[in-house]
Amino acid sequence: GDEDGLGGAGRALDHGVAAGEHGREGLIDGDFFTHDDLAQLAQGVSFLNNRIAGTTSATLSLSTHGIGREALLAAMEGKGTLDARNAEISGLDFSGVFPGGTRDPSPGSFASVAGDFQILARRIDLSNFVLDHPQGRLHADGRIDFSHALNIRLHPSIFQAAMPPSSAPFPVFLRAG
């Protein structure tokens, strides 16, 4: 069965990590696709459990090799796309990002979240992420370190449309933790 919800990607990751942790050369190299419930996927990741929900589809091209978990993580490289619907991210308040700062009863709710990511140097770099929130559209880029540190910049798209390129830059909001 598909107990981890990751299909072939989960089985390949489990096999590669298990080999690397048992003194054998671990190797992961392949392209994966998943379509899952975010809450189910998050159950296996302690810092995400009960913090995200929604439905997602993703593609991932991933490779790594080495002996031992640290060597596998250090050598990990990949890229992919994420497309989530009805996404919920609890614990973050996005209301201050929008003009007027009005309080939204569901500050971490998004009709959709989509973007590209790259995995390299023990981090995940986000680019071209678009988050459709009830108060407006956000653009995001930044990184998530494997140590769980986040450095993500959010840009309200209304500022991009309203300001000519030569004028002062629009606000950038950082979420770190």
Side-chain angles (χ1 to χ4, degrees):
D2 184 17
E3 295 164 1
D4 62 10
L6 294 174
R11 287 187 293 278
L13 291 171
D14 288 345
H15 175 72
V17 170
E21 287 181 341
H22 289 90
R24 300 186 314 270
E25 177 77 10
L27 175 66
I28 300 169
D29 189 13
D31 297 322
F32 309 100
F33 174 82
T34 185
H35 181 80
D36 287 298
D37 180 301
L38 283 171
Q40 281 183 324
L41 290 174
Q43 288 176 355
V45 183
S46 61
F47 71 95
L48 291 177
N49 194 16
N50 295 320
R51 297 203 58 189
I52 61 172
T55 304
T56 186
S57 61
T59 61
L60 173 64
S61 176
L62 183 69
S63 68
T64 191
H65 60 86
I67 297 176
R69 180 179 176 84
E70 291 305 311
L72 289 166
L73 290 173
M76 190 176 293
E77 295 181 1
K79 62 182 179 179
T81 61
L82 175 79
D83 185 8
R85 300 286 179 231
N86 301 315
E88 298 277 338
I89 305 169
S90 65
L92 298 176
D93 182 0
F94 293 91
S95 61
V97 175
F98 297 100
T102 58
R103 293 302 243 179
D104 184 337
S106 56
S109 296
F110 299 91
S112 66
V113 176
D116 303 318
F117 61 90
Q118 183 175 358
I119 301 169
L120 184 66
R122 301 174 78 79
R123 71 178 191 229
I124 302 168
D125 292 322
L126 308 176
S127 61
N128 303 317
F129 264 73
V130 176
L131 298 86
D132 285 319
H133 188 272
Q135 292 185 358
R137 178 171 277 184
L138 297 172
H139 293 268
D141 60 65
R143 75 170 175 269
I144 304 167
D145 292 327
F146 283 10
S147 66
H148 307 164
L150 293 112
N151 181 357
I152 299 173
R153 292 166 298 282
L154 300 173
H155 314 274
S157 65
I158 57 171
F159 284 109
Q160 291 174 333
M163 297 180 73
S166 62
S167 64
F170 49 85
V172 175
F173 298 90
L174 299 178
R175 298 288 184 209

